[in-house]
Amino acid sequence: MLRTLLVIIVVIAVVVGLYYAWLWLMRKRSSEYIDSAELNQIIRKIQVIDVREPAEFDANHILGARNIPISQFKMRHQEIRKDLPVCLYDQTYHFSSRAANILRKAGYDQVYILKGGLDKWFGKTKSNL
């Protein structure tokens, strides 16, 4: 019984580790990190896309950001211009990594992910509530 439980825990740990390694590889191939200070300097020259769901976006988002939820991203990514840089963010970086991979496959070449996500943003925010 104890041995079976230990095997299950090890298998779960390996699967979680592989998932995080896959996210890291996908993020590395698809985008670059941009920190809050860098984004603040170029925010008027870049498309800022929040990939969280609408309720989260309405509660708090970066001023000037557009919301294209990850659940709709494959269908709506064409709304993003290819001739301008794109910065993706969510609460951390999990959904933005997936969105960056979709954009890379669609031919976007200037894709950034906000390092640390909205949690590390220190610029202006807005709430729609």
Side-chain angles (χ1 to χ4, degrees), residues 9-41:
I9 290 171
V10 168
V11 168
I12 290 171
V14 167
V15 168
V16 169
L18 288 172
Y19 173 72
Y20 280 102
W22 175 72
L23 274 179
W24 177 83
L25 182 63
M26 189 170 42
R27 204 171 35 252
K28 198 78 166 148
R29 286 185 1 195
S30 304
S31 63
E32 295 178 32
Y33 277 127
I34 186 169
D35 67 25
S36 189
E38 292 173 299
L39 179 56
N40 227 346
Q41 290 176 350

PDB file of all heavy atoms in Angstrom, residues 9-41:
ATOM      1  N   ILE A   9       2.817   9.025  -6.306  1.00  0.00           N
ATOM      2  CA  ILE A   9       3.355  10.371  -6.055  1.00  0.00           C
ATOM      3  C   ILE A   9       4.508  10.667  -7.004  1.00  0.00           C
ATOM      4  O   ILE A   9       4.600  11.759  -7.572  1.00  0.00           O
ATOM      5  CB  ILE A   9       3.783  10.515  -4.578  1.00  0.00           C
ATOM      6  CG1 ILE A   9       2.545  10.529  -3.686  1.00  0.00           C
ATOM      7  CG2 ILE A   9       4.616  11.775  -4.370  1.00  0.00           C
ATOM      8  CD1 ILE A   9       2.835  10.458  -2.207  1.00  0.00           C
ATOM      9  N   VAL A  10       5.379   9.717  -7.220  1.00  0.00           N
ATOM     10  CA  VAL A  10       6.511   9.901  -8.137  1.00  0.00           C
ATOM     11  C   VAL A  10       6.015  10.114  -9.560  1.00  0.00           C
ATOM     12  O   VAL A  10       6.500  11.004 -10.276  1.00  0.00           O
ATOM     13  CB  VAL A  10       7.503   8.717  -8.051  1.00  0.00           C
ATOM     14  CG1 VAL A  10       8.502   8.748  -9.179  1.00  0.00           C
ATOM     15  CG2 VAL A  10       8.199   8.706  -6.702  1.00  0.00           C
ATOM     16  N   VAL A  11       5.039   9.329  -9.984  1.00  0.00           N
ATOM     17  CA  VAL A  11       4.490   9.477 -11.336  1.00  0.00           C
ATOM     18  C   VAL A  11       3.858  10.852 -11.509  1.00  0.00           C
ATOM     19  O   VAL A  11       4.080  11.530 -12.523  1.00  0.00           O
ATOM     20  CB  VAL A  11       3.467   8.346 -11.637  1.00  0.00           C
ATOM     21  CG1 VAL A  11       2.671   8.645 -12.893  1.00  0.00           C
ATOM     22  CG2 VAL A  11       4.178   7.011 -11.755  1.00  0.00           C
ATOM     23  N   ILE A  12       3.107  11.301 -10.526  1.00  0.00           N
ATOM     24  CA  ILE A  12       2.491  12.629 -10.596  1.00  0.00           C
ATOM     25  C   ILE A  12       3.564  13.709 -10.663  1.00  0.00           C
ATOM     26  O   ILE A  12       3.469  14.650 -11.457  1.00  0.00           O
ATOM     27  CB  ILE A  12       1.540  12.857  -9.404  1.00  0.00           C
ATOM     28  CG1 ILE A  12       0.310  11.969  -9.555  1.00  0.00           C
ATOM     29  CG2 ILE A  12       1.136  14.326  -9.290  1.00  0.00           C
ATOM     30  CD1 ILE A  12      -0.602  11.945  -8.343  1.00  0.00           C
ATOM     31  N   ALA A  13       4.606  13.579  -9.856  1.00  0.00           N
ATOM     32  CA  ALA A  13       5.700  14.554  -9.874  1.00  0.00           C
ATOM     33  C   ALA A  13       6.384  14.599 -11.237  1.00  0.00           C
ATOM     34  O   ALA A  13       6.719  15.673 -11.741  1.00  0.00           O
ATOM     35  CB  ALA A  13       6.711  14.235  -8.779  1.00  0.00           C
ATOM     36  N   VAL A  14       6.592  13.459 -11.854  1.00  0.00           N
ATOM     37  CA  VAL A  14       7.223  13.397 -13.170  1.00  0.00           C
ATOM     38  C   VAL A  14       6.328  14.054 -14.220  1.00  0.00           C
ATOM     39  O   VAL A  14       6.804  14.829 -15.053  1.00  0.00           O
ATOM     40  CB  VAL A  14       7.560  11.932 -13.565  1.00  0.00           C
ATOM     41  CG1 VAL A  14       7.921  11.815 -15.031  1.00  0.00           C
ATOM     42  CG2 VAL A  14       8.680  11.406 -12.681  1.00  0.00           C
ATOM     43  N   VAL A  15       5.037  13.778 -14.171  1.00  0.00           N
ATOM     44  CA  VAL A  15       4.101  14.370 -15.133  1.00  0.00           C
ATOM     45  C   VAL A  15       4.066  15.893 -14.978  1.00  0.00           C
ATOM     46  O   VAL A  15       4.119  16.625 -15.974  1.00  0.00           O
ATOM     47  CB  VAL A  15       2.691  13.752 -14.972  1.00  0.00           C
ATOM     48  CG1 VAL A  15       1.648  14.538 -15.750  1.00  0.00           C
ATOM     49  CG2 VAL A  15       2.690  12.296 -15.399  1.00  0.00           C
ATOM     50  N   VAL A  16       4.000  16.381 -13.762  1.00  0.00           N
ATOM     51  CA  VAL A  16       3.996  17.825 -13.523  1.00  0.00           C
ATOM     52  C   VAL A  16       5.305  18.439 -14.000  1.00  0.00           C
ATOM     53  O   VAL A  16       5.322  19.495 -14.641  1.00  0.00           O
ATOM     54  CB  VAL A  16       3.735  18.140 -12.029  1.00  0.00           C
ATOM     55  CG1 VAL A  16       3.996  19.596 -11.708  1.00  0.00           C
ATOM     56  CG2 VAL A  16       2.308  17.759 -11.651  1.00  0.00           C
ATOM     57  N   GLY A  17       6.423  17.777 -13.723  1.00  0.00           N
ATOM     58  CA  GLY A  17       7.721  18.257 -14.193  1.00  0.00           C
ATOM     59  C   GLY A  17       7.798  18.319 -15.703  1.00  0.00           C
ATOM     60  O   GLY A  17       8.319  19.288 -16.268  1.00  0.00           O
ATOM     61  N   LEU A  18       7.285  17.302 -16.376  1.00  0.00           N
ATOM     62  CA  LEU A  18       7.262  17.300 -17.843  1.00  0.00           C
ATOM     63  C   LEU A  18       6.386  18.422 -18.386  1.00  0.00           C
ATOM     64  O   LEU A  18       6.728  19.065 -19.380  1.00  0.00           O
ATOM     65  CB  LEU A  18       6.779  15.946 -18.374  1.00  0.00           C
ATOM     66  CG  LEU A  18       7.757  14.793 -18.218  1.00  0.00           C
ATOM     67  CD1 LEU A  18       7.087  13.480 -18.605  1.00  0.00           C
ATOM     68  CD2 LEU A  18       8.999  15.033 -19.052  1.00  0.00           C
ATOM     69  N   TYR A  19       5.259  18.693 -17.732  1.00  0.00           N
ATOM     70  CA  TYR A  19       4.376  19.789 -18.159  1.00  0.00           C
ATOM     71  C   TYR A  19       5.102  21.127 -18.062  1.00  0.00           C
ATOM     72  O   TYR A  19       5.071  21.926 -18.990  1.00  0.00           O
ATOM     73  CB  TYR A  19       3.102  19.792 -17.315  1.00  0.00           C
ATOM     74  CG  TYR A  19       2.209  20.980 -17.583  1.00  0.00           C
ATOM     75  CD1 TYR A  19       1.495  21.076 -18.771  1.00  0.00           C
ATOM     76  CD2 TYR A  19       2.108  22.022 -16.665  1.00  0.00           C
ATOM     77  CE1 TYR A  19       0.689  22.167 -19.038  1.00  0.00           C
ATOM     78  CE2 TYR A  19       1.301  23.121 -16.926  1.00  0.00           C
ATOM     79  CZ  TYR A  19       0.595  23.188 -18.105  1.00  0.00           C
ATOM     80  OH  TYR A  19      -0.200  24.279 -18.366  1.00  0.00           O
ATOM     81  N   TYR A  20       5.766  21.364 -16.945  1.00  0.00           N
ATOM     82  CA  TYR A  20       6.500  22.629 -16.789  1.00  0.00           C
ATOM     83  C   TYR A  20       7.670  22.727 -17.764  1.00  0.00           C
ATOM     84  O   TYR A  20       7.975  23.805 -18.270  1.00  0.00           O
ATOM     85  CB  TYR A  20       6.962  22.832 -15.343  1.00  0.00           C
ATOM     86  CG  TYR A  20       5.855  23.345 -14.466  1.00  0.00           C
ATOM     87  CD1 TYR A  20       5.171  22.505 -13.602  1.00  0.00           C
ATOM     88  CD2 TYR A  20       5.473  24.680 -14.524  1.00  0.00           C
ATOM     89  CE1 TYR A  20       4.150  22.981 -12.805  1.00  0.00           C
ATOM     90  CE2 TYR A  20       4.448  25.167 -13.727  1.00  0.00           C
ATOM     91  CZ  TYR A  20       3.786  24.308 -12.874  1.00  0.00           C
ATOM     92  OH  TYR A  20       2.768  24.794 -12.093  1.00  0.00           O
ATOM     93  N   ALA A  21       8.322  21.628 -18.050  1.00  0.00           N
ATOM     94  CA  ALA A  21       9.403  21.630 -19.040  1.00  0.00           C
ATOM     95  C   ALA A  21       8.843  21.935 -20.427  1.00  0.00           C
ATOM     96  O   ALA A  21       9.438  22.694 -21.198  1.00  0.00           O
ATOM     97  CB  ALA A  21      10.121  20.292 -19.042  1.00  0.00           C
ATOM     98  N   TRP A  22       7.694  21.368 -20.749  1.00  0.00           N
ATOM     99  CA  TRP A  22       7.046  21.636 -22.034  1.00  0.00           C
ATOM    100  C   TRP A  22       6.667  23.113 -22.140  1.00  0.00           C
ATOM    101  O   TRP A  22       6.886  23.745 -23.177  1.00  0.00           O
ATOM    102  CB  TRP A  22       5.812  20.739 -22.176  1.00  0.00           C
ATOM    103  CG  TRP A  22       5.001  20.998 -23.399  1.00  0.00           C
ATOM    104  CD1 TRP A  22       5.315  20.694 -24.695  1.00  0.00           C
ATOM    105  CD2 TRP A  22       3.725  21.638 -23.447  1.00  0.00           C
ATOM    106  NE1 TRP A  22       4.311  21.106 -25.536  1.00  0.00           N
ATOM    107  CE2 TRP A  22       3.315  21.677 -24.788  1.00  0.00           C
ATOM    108  CE3 TRP A  22       2.881  22.161 -22.479  1.00  0.00           C
ATOM    109  CZ2 TRP A  22       2.111  22.231 -25.185  1.00  0.00           C
ATOM    110  CZ3 TRP A  22       1.676  22.709 -22.878  1.00  0.00           C
ATOM    111  CH2 TRP A  22       1.311  22.740 -24.224  1.00  0.00           C
ATOM    112  N   LEU A  23       6.095  23.692 -21.057  1.00  0.00           N
ATOM    113  CA  LEU A  23       5.761  25.123 -21.065  1.00  0.00           C
ATOM    114  C   LEU A  23       7.005  25.978 -21.277  1.00  0.00           C
ATOM    115  O   LEU A  23       6.989  26.941 -22.032  1.00  0.00           O
ATOM    116  CB  LEU A  23       5.107  25.531 -19.739  1.00  0.00           C
ATOM    117  CG  LEU A  23       3.618  25.344 -19.594  1.00  0.00           C
ATOM    118  CD1 LEU A  23       3.176  25.783 -18.198  1.00  0.00           C
ATOM    119  CD2 LEU A  23       2.839  26.080 -20.649  1.00  0.00           C
ATOM    120  N   TRP A  24       8.081  25.632 -20.595  1.00  0.00           N
ATOM    121  CA  TRP A  24       9.321  26.397 -20.719  1.00  0.00           C
ATOM    122  C   TRP A  24       9.842  26.340 -22.151  1.00  0.00           C
ATOM    123  O   TRP A  24      10.217  27.365 -22.718  1.00  0.00           O
ATOM    124  CB  TRP A  24      10.376  25.845 -19.751  1.00  0.00           C
ATOM    125  CG  TRP A  24      11.685  26.533 -19.876  1.00  0.00           C
ATOM    126  CD1 TRP A  24      12.048  27.710 -19.284  1.00  0.00           C
ATOM    127  CD2 TRP A  24      12.803  26.114 -20.664  1.00  0.00           C
ATOM    128  NE1 TRP A  24      13.339  28.037 -19.650  1.00  0.00           N
ATOM    129  CE2 TRP A  24      13.824  27.073 -20.499  1.00  0.00           C
ATOM    130  CE3 TRP A  24      13.041  25.011 -21.484  1.00  0.00           C
ATOM    131  CZ2 TRP A  24      15.044  26.968 -21.134  1.00  0.00           C
ATOM    132  CZ3 TRP A  24      14.260  24.906 -22.105  1.00  0.00           C
ATOM    133  CH2 TRP A  24      15.252  25.871 -21.931  1.00  0.00           C
ATOM    134  N   LEU A  25       9.855  25.155 -22.745  1.00  0.00           N
ATOM    135  CA  LEU A  25      10.327  24.997 -24.115  1.00  0.00           C
ATOM    136  C   LEU A  25       9.440  25.759 -25.093  1.00  0.00           C
ATOM    137  O   LEU A  25       9.940  26.446 -25.991  1.00  0.00           O
ATOM    138  CB  LEU A  25      10.377  23.518 -24.489  1.00  0.00           C
ATOM    139  CG  LEU A  25      10.902  23.179 -25.874  1.00  0.00           C
ATOM    140  CD1 LEU A  25      12.351  23.628 -26.010  1.00  0.00           C
ATOM    141  CD2 LEU A  25      10.789  21.693 -26.137  1.00  0.00           C
ATOM    142  N   MET A  26       8.139  25.673 -24.918  1.00  0.00           N
ATOM    143  CA  MET A  26       7.208  26.376 -25.783  1.00  0.00           C
ATOM    144  C   MET A  26       7.421  27.890 -25.670  1.00  0.00           C
ATOM    145  O   MET A  26       7.444  28.601 -26.665  1.00  0.00           O
ATOM    146  CB  MET A  26       5.780  26.007 -25.378  1.00  0.00           C
ATOM    147  CG  MET A  26       4.728  26.483 -26.324  1.00  0.00           C
ATOM    148  SD  MET A  26       3.078  25.819 -26.004  1.00  0.00           S
ATOM    149  CE  MET A  26       2.922  25.888 -24.249  1.00  0.00           C
ATOM    150  N   ARG A  27       7.581  28.377 -24.451  1.00  0.00           N
ATOM    151  CA  ARG A  27       7.803  29.803 -24.223  1.00  0.00           C
ATOM    152  C   ARG A  27       9.121  30.242 -24.848  1.00  0.00           C
ATOM    153  O   ARG A  27       9.208  31.297 -25.459  1.00  0.00           O
ATOM    154  CB  ARG A  27       7.815  30.050 -22.709  1.00  0.00           C
ATOM    155  CG  ARG A  27       7.480  31.400 -22.291  1.00  0.00           C
ATOM    156  CD  ARG A  27       7.280  31.551 -20.787  1.00  0.00           C
ATOM    157  NE  ARG A  27       8.104  30.743 -19.925  1.00  0.00           N
ATOM    158  CZ  ARG A  27       7.675  29.712 -19.217  1.00  0.00           C
ATOM    159  NH1 ARG A  27       6.425  29.337 -19.282  1.00  0.00           N
ATOM    160  NH2 ARG A  27       8.489  29.032 -18.445  1.00  0.00           N
ATOM    161  N   LYS A  28      10.154  29.435 -24.725  1.00  0.00           N
ATOM    162  CA  LYS A  28      11.475  29.761 -25.255  1.00  0.00           C
ATOM    163  C   LYS A  28      11.454  29.839 -26.783  1.00  0.00           C
ATOM    164  O   LYS A  28      12.098  30.699 -27.369  1.00  0.00           O
ATOM    165  CB  LYS A  28      12.460  28.674 -24.791  1.00  0.00           C
ATOM    166  CG  LYS A  28      13.875  29.042 -24.873  1.00  0.00           C
ATOM    167  CD  LYS A  28      14.206  29.934 -23.704  1.00  0.00           C
ATOM    168  CE  LYS A  28      15.697  30.036 -23.586  1.00  0.00           C
ATOM    169  NZ  LYS A  28      16.109  31.313 -23.085  1.00  0.00           N
ATOM    170  N   ARG A  29      10.721  28.934 -27.429  1.00  0.00           N
ATOM    171  CA  ARG A  29      10.649  28.909 -28.898  1.00  0.00           C
ATOM    172  C   ARG A  29       9.748  29.997 -29.454  1.00  0.00           C
ATOM    173  O   ARG A  29       9.938  30.440 -30.584  1.00  0.00           O
ATOM    174  CB  ARG A  29      10.104  27.557 -29.377  1.00  0.00           C
ATOM    175  CG  ARG A  29      11.052  26.438 -29.259  1.00  0.00           C
ATOM    176  CD  ARG A  29      10.542  25.152 -29.845  1.00  0.00           C
ATOM    177  NE  ARG A  29       9.218  25.239 -30.450  1.00  0.00           N
ATOM    178  CZ  ARG A  29       8.481  24.206 -30.759  1.00  0.00           C
ATOM    179  NH1 ARG A  29       8.904  23.008 -30.530  1.00  0.00           N
ATOM    180  NH2 ARG A  29       7.302  24.359 -31.310  1.00  0.00           N
ATOM    181  N   SER A  30       8.739  30.419 -28.688  1.00  0.00           N
ATOM    182  CA  SER A  30       7.691  31.273 -29.225  1.00  0.00           C
ATOM    183  C   SER A  30       7.815  32.746 -28.883  1.00  0.00           C
ATOM    184  O   SER A  30       7.210  33.581 -29.550  1.00  0.00           O
ATOM    185  CB  SER A  30       6.327  30.791 -28.721  1.00  0.00           C
ATOM    186  OG  SER A  30       6.131  29.443 -29.049  1.00  0.00           O
ATOM    187  N   SER A  31       8.552  33.080 -27.838  1.00  0.00           N
ATOM    188  CA  SER A  31       8.521  34.462 -27.366  1.00  0.00           C
ATOM    189  C   SER A  31       9.758  34.795 -26.549  1.00  0.00           C
ATOM    190  O   SER A  31      10.585  33.943 -26.286  1.00  0.00           O
ATOM    191  CB  SER A  31       7.275  34.679 -26.502  1.00  0.00           C
ATOM    192  OG  SER A  31       7.339  33.845 -25.358  1.00  0.00           O
ATOM    193  N   GLU A  32       9.816  36.058 -26.150  1.00  0.00           N
ATOM    194  CA  GLU A  32      10.842  36.535 -25.228  1.00  0.00           C
ATOM    195  C   GLU A  32      10.125  37.158 -24.046  1.00  0.00           C
ATOM    196  O   GLU A  32       8.996  37.631 -24.176  1.00  0.00           O
ATOM    197  CB  GLU A  32      11.718  37.592 -25.893  1.00  0.00           C
ATOM    198  CG  GLU A  32      12.531  37.093 -27.055  1.00  0.00           C
ATOM    199  CD  GLU A  32      13.345  38.221 -27.683  1.00  0.00           C
ATOM    200  OE1 GLU A  32      13.759  39.134 -26.956  1.00  0.00           O
ATOM    201  OE2 GLU A  32      13.529  38.179 -28.903  1.00  0.00           O
ATOM    202  N   TYR A  33      10.795  37.179 -22.916  1.00  0.00           N
ATOM    203  CA  TYR A  33      10.238  37.879 -21.760  1.00  0.00           C
ATOM    204  C   TYR A  33      10.469  39.376 -21.893  1.00  0.00           C
ATOM    205  O   TYR A  33      11.477  39.807 -22.437  1.00  0.00           O
ATOM    206  CB  TYR A  33      10.906  37.425 -20.466  1.00  0.00           C
ATOM    207  CG  TYR A  33      10.338  36.164 -19.868  1.00  0.00           C
ATOM    208  CD1 TYR A  33      11.167  35.105 -19.556  1.00  0.00           C
ATOM    209  CD2 TYR A  33       8.985  36.052 -19.587  1.00  0.00           C
ATOM    210  CE1 TYR A  33      10.662  33.954 -18.985  1.00  0.00           C
ATOM    211  CE2 TYR A  33       8.473  34.902 -19.024  1.00  0.00           C
ATOM    212  CZ  TYR A  33       9.317  33.860 -18.720  1.00  0.00           C
ATOM    213  OH  TYR A  33       8.811  32.722 -18.155  1.00  0.00           O
ATOM    214  N   ILE A  34       9.533  40.137 -21.372  1.00  0.00           N
ATOM    215  CA  ILE A  34       9.701  41.576 -21.236  1.00  0.00           C
ATOM    216  C   ILE A  34       9.288  41.905 -19.805  1.00  0.00           C
ATOM    217  O   ILE A  34       8.278  41.392 -19.313  1.00  0.00           O
ATOM    218  CB  ILE A  34       8.857  42.349 -22.281  1.00  0.00           C
ATOM    219  CG1 ILE A  34       9.156  43.836 -22.239  1.00  0.00           C
ATOM    220  CG2 ILE A  34       7.391  42.090 -22.111  1.00  0.00           C
ATOM    221  CD1 ILE A  34       8.556  44.618 -23.410  1.00  0.00           C
ATOM    222  N   ASP A  35      10.093  42.707 -19.120  1.00  0.00           N
ATOM    223  CA  ASP A  35       9.721  43.017 -17.742  1.00  0.00           C
ATOM    224  C   ASP A  35       8.830  44.260 -17.699  1.00  0.00           C
ATOM    225  O   ASP A  35       8.634  44.949 -18.695  1.00  0.00           O
ATOM    226  CB  ASP A  35      10.936  43.128 -16.821  1.00  0.00           C
ATOM    227  CG  ASP A  35      11.839  44.300 -17.125  1.00  0.00           C
ATOM    228  OD1 ASP A  35      11.376  45.300 -17.701  1.00  0.00           O
ATOM    229  OD2 ASP A  35      13.029  44.209 -16.779  1.00  0.00           O
ATOM    230  N   SER A  36       8.315  44.510 -16.530  1.00  0.00           N
ATOM    231  CA  SER A  36       7.356  45.591 -16.344  1.00  0.00           C
ATOM    232  C   SER A  36       7.925  46.958 -16.744  1.00  0.00           C
ATOM    233  O   SER A  36       7.242  47.753 -17.386  1.00  0.00           O
ATOM    234  CB  SER A  36       6.920  45.602 -14.875  1.00  0.00           C
ATOM    235  OG  SER A  36       5.859  46.469 -14.667  1.00  0.00           O
ATOM    236  N   ALA A  37       9.169  47.220 -16.390  1.00  0.00           N
ATOM    237  CA  ALA A  37       9.784  48.509 -16.716  1.00  0.00           C
ATOM    238  C   ALA A  37       9.937  48.686 -18.224  1.00  0.00           C
ATOM    239  O   ALA A  37       9.643  49.767 -18.767  1.00  0.00           O
ATOM    240  CB  ALA A  37      11.145  48.628 -16.030  1.00  0.00           C
ATOM    241  N   GLU A  38      10.378  47.630 -18.922  1.00  0.00           N
ATOM    242  CA  GLU A  38      10.531  47.705 -20.380  1.00  0.00           C
ATOM    243  C   GLU A  38       9.184  47.925 -21.060  1.00  0.00           C
ATOM    244  O   GLU A  38       9.062  48.744 -21.971  1.00  0.00           O
ATOM    245  CB  GLU A  38      11.160  46.418 -20.918  1.00  0.00           C
ATOM    246  CG  GLU A  38      12.594  46.197 -20.530  1.00  0.00           C
ATOM    247  CD  GLU A  38      13.068  44.826 -20.971  1.00  0.00           C
ATOM    248  OE1 GLU A  38      12.495  43.814 -20.511  1.00  0.00           O
ATOM    249  OE2 GLU A  38      14.018  44.778 -21.780  1.00  0.00           O
ATOM    250  N   LEU A  39       8.173  47.185 -20.620  1.00  0.00           N
ATOM    251  CA  LEU A  39       6.848  47.324 -21.217  1.00  0.00           C
ATOM    252  C   LEU A  39       6.295  48.724 -20.976  1.00  0.00           C
ATOM    253  O   LEU A  39       5.701  49.322 -21.874  1.00  0.00           O
ATOM    254  CB  LEU A  39       5.884  46.272 -20.668  1.00  0.00           C
ATOM    255  CG  LEU A  39       4.453  46.327 -21.208  1.00  0.00           C
ATOM    256  CD1 LEU A  39       4.435  46.227 -22.734  1.00  0.00           C
ATOM    257  CD2 LEU A  39       3.602  45.242 -20.581  1.00  0.00           C
ATOM    258  N   ASN A  40       6.502  49.255 -19.795  1.00  0.00           N
ATOM    259  CA  ASN A  40       6.025  50.596 -19.482  1.00  0.00           C
ATOM    260  C   ASN A  40       6.617  51.646 -20.427  1.00  0.00           C
ATOM    261  O   ASN A  40       5.953  52.607 -20.778  1.00  0.00           O
ATOM    262  CB  ASN A  40       6.362  50.942 -18.029  1.00  0.00           C
ATOM    263  CG  ASN A  40       5.185  51.531 -17.296  1.00  0.00           C
ATOM    264  OD1 ASN A  40       4.196  51.920 -17.892  1.00  0.00           O
ATOM    265  ND2 ASN A  40       5.297  51.588 -15.985  1.00  0.00           N
ATOM    266  N   GLN A  41       7.859  51.451 -20.854  1.00  0.00           N
ATOM    267  CA  GLN A  41       8.520  52.408 -21.750  1.00  0.00           C
ATOM    268  C   GLN A  41       7.966  52.361 -23.170  1.00  0.00           C
ATOM    269  O   GLN A  41       7.957  53.371 -23.864  1.00  0.00           O
ATOM    270  CB  GLN A  41      10.024  52.152 -21.788  1.00  0.00           C
ATOM    271  CG  GLN A  41      10.726  52.514 -20.507  1.00  0.00           C
ATOM    272  CD  GLN A  41      12.199  52.168 -20.547  1.00  0.00           C
ATOM    273  OE1 GLN A  41      12.665  51.488 -21.463  1.00  0.00           O
ATOM    274  NE2 GLN A  41      12.948  52.639 -19.562  1.00  0.00           N
TER     275      GLN A  41
END
